[in-house]
Amino acid sequence: MDPEPVPVTRAVDFGTAKLLPDVDRARAWLLTVDGAPQSYVDLDDPVYLEFEYVRRLAHAVDAVFDEGRPLDVVHLGGGALTLPRRLSVTRPGSRQDVVEADRGLVALVAEHLPMDDPAVVVHTDDARGWLERAAPDSADVLVADVFGGSRVPAHLTSVEFLRSAASVVRAEGGLYLANLADAAPFAFLGSQIATVRAVFEHFCVIAEPGMLRGRRFGNAVLLGSHGPLPLDRLARLAAADAFPARAVDGKALARLAAGASPVYDATAVPSPEPPDGAFTVG
């Protein structure tokens, strides 16, 4: 009989990381950094997604691209490689670049949660610096899921950053995805909608209805594209989730961002500090 998995704690570059085994799933692990959940991975079932926002990222990819189609994907923010693991299984042949600044975290994940797909390449680098050196028009999907603790860093919220992202995302059918966190009155989310609107022609937001009504702090997934988005399919996938979400566009999205202006490097700020207990474990 295999020994019971035990928690792993390690000082990494940007805090204290913990790998916590899930007692309900034999080879599943929760990764936290300074108490904030970062990733959940089931090594026996990489397609399984525990976090709601990660499922919404996956829904967006599945709505835009034909089932099983291999993709060129850039992930800004690595964590425990949850979404790359899933895409490796559901879209075999995909080429994926993962950019993670925390070298200690990369080493921890490689040691305890190894991934054997050679088409997934992890780069230990600053997300924006790596992106600014990336080849133009080279990614079908670009996922921005970078948190310093529980906050999106300021330099990944600006028009200048989005322009770099837009140049890497393919003009024909490419997709930009960002995981953001905010609460009513949505000053940060509104500014990010305005920022994406300044760079991409087509955009929408996926979020849980209670969060959109201002009932709680939570995650919202922001989509941008150079071409039209399949909003009906996206809405169906989000609504059918175990934790249903809404796809917001048009007038409803304009109301959400009412009065907001695009953010530039000179005035950019991190996403708001979550309230106590919003994203902590233990």
Side-chain angles (χ1 to χ4, degrees), residues 6-259:
V6 296
V8 177
T9 300
R10 182 175 299 176
V12 294
D13 295 12
F14 302 131
T16 299
K18 292 184 179 181
L19 285 172
L20 305 171
D22 186 339
V23 297
D24 295 321
R25 300 177 74 93
R27 298 181 69 227
W29 296 84
L30 172 68
L31 168 68
T32 70
V33 177
D34 290 341
Q38 298 290 324
S39 302
Y40 180 100
V41 169
D42 188 333
L43 297 177
D44 288 332
D45 185 9
V47 175
Y48 175 76
L49 302 176
E50 175 75 10
F51 292 175
E52 297 170 31
Y53 85 85
V54 183
R55 293 203 296 272
R56 289 163 193 159
L57 293 170
H59 291 328
V61 174
D62 290 344
V64 172
F65 300 98
D66 291 341
E67 182 178 353
R69 171 184 161 185
L71 300 172
D72 294 327
V73 187
V74 172
H75 304 265
L76 303 181
L81 309 179
T82 304
L83 192 57
R85 294 173 197 270
R86 181 185 193 273
L87 295 177
S88 181
V89 173
T90 61
R91 298 176 179 274
S94 294
R95 295 181 298 180
Q96 303 188 71
D97 289 293
V98 180
V99 187
E100 172 57 61
D102 193 320
R103 293 176 181 272
L105 184 60
V106 169
L108 174 68
V109 171
E111 178 182 348
H112 291 278
L113 307 176
M115 185 174 182
D116 59 4
D117 185 349
V120 178
V121 180
V122 179
H123 308 267
T124 50
D125 203 345
D126 172 74
R128 180 161 167 180
W130 188 93
L131 190 65
E132 289 171 348
R133 299 188 299 272
D137 204 43
S138 59
D140 297 304
V141 183
L142 193 158
V143 181
D145 185 16
V146 181
F147 281 74
S150 298
R151 306 178 75 182
V152 180
H155 72 299
L156 304 182
T157 68
S158 66
V159 167
E160 292 89 342
F161 164 71
L162 261 293
R163 285 173 179 160
S164 293
S167 72
V168 172
V169 171
R170 290 197 167 112
E172 293 295 326
L175 178 65
Y176 170 78
L177 297 170
N179 174 37
L180 307 170
D182 200 7
F186 302 117
F188 177 73
L189 179 58
S191 73
Q192 292 306 288
I193 294 169
T195 302
V196 166
R197 183 173 57 203
V199 176
F200 288 99
E201 184 177 356
H202 302 272
F203 45 92
C204 72
V205 163
I206 311 172
E208 189 265 331
M211 184 263 190
L212 293 171
R213 295 188 187 109
R215 294 176 180 171
R216 67 180 183 90
F217 191 96
N219 294 86
V221 171
L222 180 57
L223 290 71
S225 178
H226 300 298
L229 293 165
L231 295 170
D232 289 345
R233 176 164 168 74
L234 185 60
R236 288 196 300 271
L237 288 173
D241 193 87
F243 293 90
R246 288 177 54 204
V248 182
D249 70 314
K251 293 181 179 179
L253 191 61
R255 288 194 296 271
L256 194 60

